């Protein structure tokens, strides 16, 4: 716990920026907590493969058979001996195999074997030459080939390579077990399951998978001006857009979002909401963490026994971000199983939606991922070419809504015009955030810059 960095938004106005942790320092504190949390394995549940998207593997996926289980042709063409095909002498067609068939014999010397993509290569053959790269002796090629494919019988026709060249051994063949040996680990524990992992599991015959139970992430929006999204806002009210946004972000990070009713800017309402939320693995609070008269989240957290890792970061947007933990109320059997996870991590995210999104991506998403058992935790950064000059002030690391295009040879990024961190329309036009380092007052058009991927 870094008490030296602890701010006192309670007793004094905001701490001067230099006393707050930098972006890197705050990231390191969060990463250290995420690493500790990741050591505690979540409980395990079994789900049908089709419901495994976005889940995290709780046991390694192993190949149940060799992959591929036979030497497989990757082309329609002719299986051959590479050395013989390279001589450019005509080779007699000895047989034919299509996908799903087993070759009726091995490849006799001086012959080729017609083969279709996905079919097993006959023993004796060590290459497949593509259909498009041969000259056949017979003019009635199609008919003769269809007959051979159907019957698997030999034909008197000959083929030769055109143009002549040296055929490489192994050309257009994936050797048996080249992708994986039976029993080999294909995916480790902690792998996130996307479509490719589902395909791989399906190829291993897994109709169900053991995955980690998702961490429960409570989302508590605070503010007297907030109304639920189905309401028509009064003259001074706004809809609670952040809870819905954070639920989507939590799901994407591997958590199970739990939206709590809006809390009011009163000590009583906040304390009641915190008591309710304390059963969660992680609590995301939005609003009420700045230095205003009605920003009462920090005092409420202190009353609830919370300890803070930091209460502000030198970033913009998101400077008032709070990160801490409080004791967790353990209620369910699964929670008891994970008894080491006695704390409920807390992020107090600034109320403006763009600030909430940025601080979630930078700091809360890695914690959700760690609680979910995912092996990769950090925020995702990439490099792009800046298309326009950007002028800012030094002193804070900035994350500004930007649009990155991927149509050219290099990704190109430009800022999206915005009206500050409440501008949801600007955020919806953006697909990333431009990172402006703390010491930069200007980024030049044409330079390579970092972007935070959303
Ligand atoms: P606060 O951090 O509570 O001072 O709020 C900063 C700004 O964000 C204010 O304009 C709030 O109305 C707005 N805001 C706070 N919470 C939400 C929310 N859940 N959804 C949309 N806007 C919000
Ligand atoms: Mg507020």
């Amino acid at each position: 716990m870094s008490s030296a960095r602890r701010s006192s938004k309670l007793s004094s106005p905001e701490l001067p920026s230099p006393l707050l942790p930098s972006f890197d320092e705050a990231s390191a504190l969060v990463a250290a907590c995420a690493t500790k949390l990741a050591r505690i394995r979540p409980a395990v549940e079994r789900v049908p493969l089709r419901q495994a998207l976005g889940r995290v593997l709780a046991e390694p996926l192993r190949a149940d058979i060799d992959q591929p289980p036979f030497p497989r042709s990757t082309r329609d063409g002719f299986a051959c001996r590479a050395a013989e095909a390279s001589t450019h002498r005509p080779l007699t067609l000895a047989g034919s195999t299509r996908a799903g068939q087993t070759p009726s014999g091995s490849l006799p010397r001086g012959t080729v074997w017609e083969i279709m993509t996905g079919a097993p290569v006959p023993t004796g053959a060590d290459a497949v030459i593509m259909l498009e790269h041969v000259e056949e002796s017979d003019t009635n090629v199609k008919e003769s080939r269809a007959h051979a494919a159907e019957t698997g019988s030999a034909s008197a026709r000959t083929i030769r390579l055109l143009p002549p060249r040296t055929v490489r051994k192994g050309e257009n063949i994936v050797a048996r077990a080249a992708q994986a040996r039976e029993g080999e680990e294909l995916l480790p524990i902690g792998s996130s399951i996307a479509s490719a992992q589902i395909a791989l599991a399906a190829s291993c015959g897994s109709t169900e998978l053991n995955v980690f139970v998702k961490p429960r992430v409570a989302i508590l929006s605070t503010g007297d001006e907030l109304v639920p999204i189905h309401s028509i806002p009064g003259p001074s009210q706004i809809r609670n857009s952040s809870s819905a946004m954070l639920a989507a972000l939590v799901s994407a990070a591997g958590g199970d979002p739990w939206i709590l009713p809006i809390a009011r800017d009163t000590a009583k309402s906040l304390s009641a909401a915190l008591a309710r939320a304390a059963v969660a693995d992680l609590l995301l609070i939005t609003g009420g963490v700045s230095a205003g008269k009605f920003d009462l989240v920090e005092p409420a957290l202190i009353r609830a026994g919370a300890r803070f890792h930091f209460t502000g970061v030198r970033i913009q947007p998101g400077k008032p971000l709070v990160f801490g933990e409080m004791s967790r109320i353990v209620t369910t059997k699964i929670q008891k199983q994970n008894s080491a996870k006695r704390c409920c991590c807390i992020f107090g995210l600034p109320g403006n939606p763009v600030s909430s999104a940025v601080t979630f991506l930078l700091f809360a998403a890695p914690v959700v991922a760690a609680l979910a058992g995912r092996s990769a935790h950090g925020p995702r950064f990439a490099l792009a070419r800046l298309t326009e000059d950007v002028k800012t002030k030094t002193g804070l690391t900035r994350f500004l809504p930007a649009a990155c295009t991927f149509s050219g040879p290099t990704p190109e990024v430009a800022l999206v015009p915005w009206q500050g961190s409440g501008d949801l329309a600007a955020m919806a036009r953006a697909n990333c955030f431009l990172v402006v380092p703390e010491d930069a007052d200007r980024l030049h058009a044409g330079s390579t810059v970092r972007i935070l991927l959303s």
Side-chain angles (χ1 to χ4, degrees):
M1 199 88 20
S2 65
S3 50
R5 295 283 185 200
R6 191 170 299 170
S7 86
S8 47
K9 281 180 233 166
L10 305 174
S11 52
S12 67
E14 269 181 287
L15 274 185
S17 289
L19 296 181
L20 298 175
S22 68
F23 167 61
D24 287 339
E25 288 164 340
S27 298
L29 284 168
V30 171
C33 285
T35 305
K36 254 195 259 165
L37 292 170
R39 285 195 203 115
I40 307 160
R41 286 269 161 87
V44 177
E45 64 180 334
R46 198 156 176 80
V47 295
L49 184 60
R50 288 190 55 193
Q51 287 166 26
L53 184 69
R55 304 302 298 268
V56 183
L57 264 191
E59 66 181 1
L61 177 74
R62 296 186 184 282
D64 67 330
I65 50 171
D66 286 349
Q67 288 197 3
F70 49 80
R72 185 177 62 206
S73 175
T74 62
R75 295 276 190 261
D76 292 325
F78 297 91
C80 61
R81 287 185 176 78
E84 288 178 354
S86 304
T87 63
H88 198 225
R89 277 200 296 273
L91 296 165
T92 311
L93 189 65
S96 178
T97 304
R98 58 189 186 194
Q101 284 184 329
T102 306
S104 54
S106 57
L107 183 73
R109 297 233 159 251
T111 69
V112 290
W113 195 284
E114 188 180 39
I115 196 159
M116 317 297 156
T117 302
V121 173
T123 48
D126 57 15
V128 169
I129 44 179
M130 283 169 68
L131 190 61
E132 296 84 343
H133 295 174
V134 302
E135 178 190 58
E136 296 195 38
S137 61
D138 199 325
T139 45
N140 197 0
V141 174
K142 259 197 168 164
E143 199 181 280
S144 164
R145 212 185 297 135
H147 174 74
E150 231 164 68
T151 59
S153 70
S155 138
R157 290 167 36 231
T158 60
I159 68 110
R160 63 178 177 174
L161 256 186
L162 194 78
R165 64 177 172 89
T166 303
V167 176
R168 189 176 43 82
K169 264 192 176 189
E171 196 169 300
N172 299 323
I173 297 176
V174 182
R176 177 176 177 157
Q179 291 161 202
R181 292 224 159 271
E182 180 185 333
E184 191 179 324
E185 182 175 302
L186 294 173
L187 294 173
I189 291 179
S191 301
S192 295
I193 303 170
S195 55
Q197 290 70 27
I198 286 180
L200 191 58
S203 79
C204 296
S206 306
T207 55
E208 295 182 329
L209 289 175
N210 280 342
V211 297
F212 289 130
V213 172
K214 292 181 189 177
R216 197 168 195 209
V217 182
I219 298 168
L220 175 65
S221 280
T222 72
D224 284 346
E225 75 281 32
L226 300 181
V227 293
I229 54 177
H230 58 263
S231 306
I232 306 288
S236 55
Q237 295 178 323
I238 58 162
R239 291 195 177 100
N240 172 18
S241 51
S242 294
S243 286
M245 172 187 74
L246 286 169
L249 287 165
V250 165
S251 295
D256 179 17
W258 171 36
I259 297 180
L260 291 165
I262 296 161
R264 298 300 158 202
D265 291 322
T266 64
K268 197 173 159 203
S269 178
L270 289 168
S271 291
L274 291 181
R276 196 167 168 207
V279 296
D281 296 292
L282 171 64
L283 167 59
L284 304 175
I285 308 171
T286 71
V289 289
S290 303
K293 197 170 163 188
F294 296 102
D295 290 324
L296 303 175
V297 166
E298 263 184 68
L301 283 170
I302 290 169
R303 281 197 307 278
R307 301 163 299 276
F308 298 117
H309 298 289
F310 55 74
T311 57
V313 187
R314 295 204 307 266
I315 58 171
Q316 192 261 331
K319 190 173 160 202
L321 174 73
V322 169
F323 176 42
E325 61 191 52
M326 64 180 177
S327 298
R328 181 148 168 267
I329 301 168
V330 171
T331 54
T332 67
K333 202 173 135 202
I334 286 175
Q335 288 174 332
K336 278 181 192 140
Q337 255 171 278
N338 297 341
S339 54
K341 234 188 277 165
R342 283 287 155 121
C343 77
C344 168
C345 294
I346 307 156
F347 282 99
L349 311 176
N352 271 312
V354 180
S355 316
S356 302
V358 166
T359 46
F360 179 91
L361 290 169
L362 292 173
F363 301 105
V367 173
V368 177
L371 288 167
R374 286 190 180 178
S375 47
H377 303 151
R380 297 179 314 146
F381 291 101
L383 296 178
R385 202 181 136 269
L386 188 64
T387 58
E388 294 162 3
D389 277 5
V390 171
K391 278 189 206 156
T392 56
K393 288 187 207 144
T394 58
L396 301 173
T397 306
R398 289 168 210 272
F399 300 88
L400 308 175
C404 188
T405 52
F406 299 89
S407 45
T410 313
E412 297 202 324
V413 68
L415 288 182
V416 166
W418 70 324
Q419 302 300 318
S421 35
D423 192 342
L424 287 168
M427 187 164 66
R429 285 195 297 273
N431 60 2
C432 64
F433 296 92
L434 172 69
V435 185
V436 186
E438 191 178 295
D439 56 0
D441 60 359
R442 189 177 179 139
L443 297 179
H444 294 279
S447 60
T448 299
V449 290
R450 276 177 102 202
I451 54 174
L452 167 68
L453 300 175
S454 44

